[in-house]
Amino acid sequence: MYAGKSVLVAGAGVSGRSAAAALLAEGALVTVTDSAQERFAGLDAGIRTAVGLTAPPEGTDLVVTSPGWRPTSPLLVAAAEQGVEVIGEVEFAWRLAANRPDPPAWLAVTGTNGKTTTVTMLASILRAAGVHSVACGNVGLPVVAAVRSGYDVLAVELSSFQLHWSSSLRMDAAAVVNVSEDHLDWHGSLDEYAGAKGRIYAGDDVVAIYNADDELSTRLSDGKRRRVGFTLGEPENGQLGIRGDALVDRAFGDGETVLADIADVHPAGPHNVANALAAAALARARGVSAEAVRKGLREFTPGAHRSVLVTEHEGVRWIDDSKATNPHAAAASLAAHERVVWVAGGLLKGAAVDELVAGAAGRLTGVVLLGADRAVIAAALARHAPEVPVREVATGDDGAMNEVVRAAGAMARPGDVVLLAPAAASMDMFGDYAHRGRAFAEAVRDLTNRAG
């Protein structure tokens, strides 16, 4: 299929390296381009490299782009003008899998928030059912590596970037867990962003899992032949939801099936119950038993920096939810607690915060702000929660998080939660959300250890 083809891979990160290695194994003539020579270290022998290409080399048959490259990148614009097809690593993985005699089943998740939690919950349920499966995509293995490893079922997390560069993906079952403003700087508008998410439902045979409590998720699934909703209320026929203290299924099988108890879902909170329902729906679409759903949820281990308790000291709980990188995620995180000293700020990426602040105002006992767009959040607090004390930390050096944590500790009282749920990306001050979460946890431990 690719033997003898000249393929340019845009990006030498994890997904680009995986695609380049697979293309080389398929007999393609592979060139990788990126912004700096040092990014090519460790590429397989036989892969050519070129720094900073702004147009495909003459004779290029295909461009495989890493998900972070914007459609407006000069290289990708030039490829389109030359009539060279541009696809993403996930689309390449799909084509690679479809060309195999026994391709894997694809169970996919996208959404603004909760993708990783839902996919890893799904992977835990599939393991409990004895299915040879793996979490991959925007979490875990690159999808190409998962396809080449021969798994029977792929639990795939897909970002809007990955879906934008996919044209022929056809999932066995797919879930859009929610949609709200995010990455508008990349996509240009909410409609474009939502449209990219909706590509996950392509094809006539997909089981379209939608969030019945989310307007855009519901709208994106409209018209699909096989629709299954999930809700935090009591489910209708064809839905999963909550009855009493149990997660129940009224979509797969006859009547109503109890899948698990709410107490089986962790971390606690309505947003994680919704994630569990989405994961259960995907698993049930594959024929997984209720017993395996319960076992998988009980055995699920949350990822780092996702509502993780750092410590409890003198009646105050300190929680790291650095993965809450947009307002929708922060709102869900805040809603899980009654009294919160909120640590927020960073790069908002064009997202509005008034709805977030107005909804959380009654829970806030104090706010500490940091990062490039802290003034935007401060202005929203002045409009919607003027009585809540706010402290802004202006410094951007390595000591900023220590100052943030000291300020939050001074505001907190027994019974409060100090919650890092930034509602913003981290790259203005940190390498990524994990770096930000580690800095917070280290500063918390330093403060509480000194206090005894």
Side-chain angles (χ1 to χ4, degrees):
M1 185 176 181
Y2 295 99
K5 299 287 187 181
S6 179
V7 183
L8 175 64
V9 176
V14 174
S15 64
R17 288 169 177 269
S18 180
L23 284 160
L24 189 68
E26 292 287 312
L29 306 173
V30 184
T31 301
V32 176
T33 186
D34 211 317
S35 57
Q37 186 70 38
E38 56 265 25
R39 293 183 63 82
F40 301 136
L43 284 171
D44 291 353
I47 295 174
R48 291 174 287 189
T49 60
V51 175
L53 288 181
T54 57
E58 187 176 348
T60 297
D61 297 300
L62 177 70
V63 174
V64 178
T65 181
S66 298
W69 287 53
R70 300 186 185 193
T72 54
S73 300
L75 171 63
L76 305 184
V77 171
E81 290 174 346
Q82 295 173 20
V84 178
E85 185 181 19
V86 180
I87 65 173
E89 176 255 348
V90 175
E91 174 70 17
F92 169 57
W94 170 257
R95 297 182 186 186
L96 201 63
N99 202 41
R100 301 199 167 194
D102 189 20
W106 292 56
L107 306 178
V109 178
T110 194
T112 302
N113 300 300
K115 297 185 295 297
T116 298
T117 299
T118 302
V119 162
T120 48
M121 282 179 170
L122 173 60
S124 182
I125 292 168
L126 292 171
R127 282 195 301 273
V131 178
H132 184 46
S133 60
V134 68
C136 59
N138 210 38
V139 60
L141 283 177
V143 186
V144 167
V147 167
R148 296 179 73 196
S149 297
Y151 290 96
D152 296 329
V153 178
L154 306 182
V156 190
E157 178 186 335
L158 295 177
S159 70
S160 57
F161 307 153
Q162 290 167 316
L163 286 162
H164 176 89
W165 295 115
S166 299
S167 57
S168 66
L169 289 180
R170 298 294 184 269
M171 306 292 97
D172 293 270
V176 179
V177 290
N178 48 61
V179 182
S180 62
E181 285 188 345
D182 200 13
H183 300 302
L184 302 191
D185 54 343
W186 199 97
H187 290 280
S189 71
L190 178 59
D191 284 346
E192 289 294 324
Y193 172 63
K197 295 290 190 188
R199 290 189 179 198
I200 204 169
Y201 289 145
D204 294 331
D205 295 327
V206 64
V207 180
I209 312 296
Y210 67 95
N211 184 346
D213 302 329
D214 185 279
E215 179 185 354
L216 281 173
S217 173
T218 302
R219 188 190 309 167
L220 290 171
S221 71
D222 283 347
K224 302 311 297 183
R225 184 168 61 85
R226 304 172 67 194
R227 298 174 75 226
V228 173
F230 64 92
T231 174
L232 291 175
E234 291 197 6
E236 301 173 359
N237 289 332
Q239 294 184 342
L240 284 73
I242 304 299
R243 189 181 299 283
D245 294 325
L247 283 65
V248 297
D249 174 3
R250 299 192 66 191
F252 301 98
D254 296 326
E256 182 173 287
T257 303
V258 175
L259 300 174
D261 297 329
I262 290 176
D264 293 324
V265 178
H266 54 277
H271 58 302
N272 281 321
V273 174
N275 294 335
L277 287 165
L282 288 161
R284 296 286 280 170
R286 188 63 187 166
V288 170
S289 70
E291 291 76 13
V293 171
R294 182 187 294 270
K295 185 172 187 288
L297 290 176
R298 284 178 171 173
E299 294 177 350
F300 168 67
T301 302
H305 313 295
R306 292 171 174 84
S307 295
V308 175
L309 178 66
V310 177
T311 191
E312 183 169 350
H313 182 75
E314 295 183 350
V316 176
R317 288 183 296 147
W318 297 78
I319 293 177
D320 167 15
D321 197 8
S322 184
K323 187 63 171 66
T325 57
N326 56 60
H328 189 274
S333 189
L334 287 161
H337 309 287
E338 293 298 322
R339 291 173 46 84
V340 181
V341 176
W342 181 29
V343 177
L347 291 171
L348 287 169
K349 301 171 291 183
V353 295
D354 281 87
E355 184 177 350
L356 163 65
V357 171
R363 301 175 184 274
L364 301 178
T365 61
V367 179
V368 183
L369 299 174
L370 74 167
D373 290 334
R374 63 186 181 276
V376 177
I377 304 175
L381 286 160
R383 287 189 292 272
H384 302 291
E387 74 288 353
V388 175
V390 177
R391 166 76 183 278
E392 292 189 50
V393 174
T395 179
D397 62 24
D398 290 342
M401 193 59 84
N402 288 322
E403 186 176 344
V404 165
V405 165
R406 286 195 297 269
M411 291 179 176
R413 298 292 179 266
D416 286 354
V417 168
V418 177
L419 176 66
L420 173 66
S426 56
M427 289 79 73
D428 56 332
M429 294 177 63
F430 303 95
D432 52 25
Y433 75 83
H435 178 199
R436 178 171 61 191
R438 288 194 300 272
F440 175 75
E442 289 167 6
V444 169
R445 293 187 186 104
D446 182 65
L447 177 72
T448 55
N449 287 340
R450 287 174 183 271

